[in-house]
Amino acid sequence: MIVGIGIDVVDIARFLATLERVPALRDRLFTPDERHLPPASLAARFAAKEAIAKSLGAPAGMSWQDATIRRTAGAQPVVEVIGSVAAKAAELGVTGFHLSISHDAGIASAMVIAERGA
């Protein structure tokens, strides 16, 4: 059963300009495993984290560090949650996330379905 759906779109150039202007933002938004990724992938990860939050009702107090997006070549991206994100997911009965991410033509996008019984 679908609990929530979230979608987000990020202008990659604008996102990168923000990261350059506020260097500490990279550490605030991304886990150590994500920080080394290329710019378009970082923008897509940010869109994914926004979409995850939206799929959970965009509650206040969620930490960006509590959601990690993992990707293995040839495999679908995987959402891993801990802390505040895991707590909100548990409160809503979410047992899994389905994630699609993409980046092309200067835009990064992500769509998330939070599901119970996944």
Side-chain angles (χ1 to χ4, degrees), residues 15-29:
F15 180 74
L16 294 180
T18 301
L19 287 181
E20 289 175 8
R21 191 173 60 253
V22 185
L25 198 54
R26 183 181 297 253
D27 291 343
R28 183 173 163 230
L29 296 176

Side-chain angles (χ1 to χ4, degrees), residues 29-40:
L29 296 176
F30 301 105
T31 63
D33 288 346
E34 296 171 321
R35 292 179 194 144
H36 72 281
L37 294 170

Side-chain angles (χ1 to χ4, degrees), residues 2 9 13 15 26 28 32 36-37 42 52-53 56 90 102 109-110 116:
I2 294 174
V9 178
F15 180 74
R26 183 181 297 253
R28 183 173 163 230
H36 72 281
L37 294 170
L42 283 177
I52 291 165
L56 298 174
S102 184
S109 63
R116 181 179 307 126

Side-chain angles (χ1 to χ4, degrees), residues 69-81:
I69 312 306
R70 300 214 187 275
R71 178 113 166 106
T72 304
Q76 293 181 328
V78 175
V79 175
E80 295 178 1
V81 296

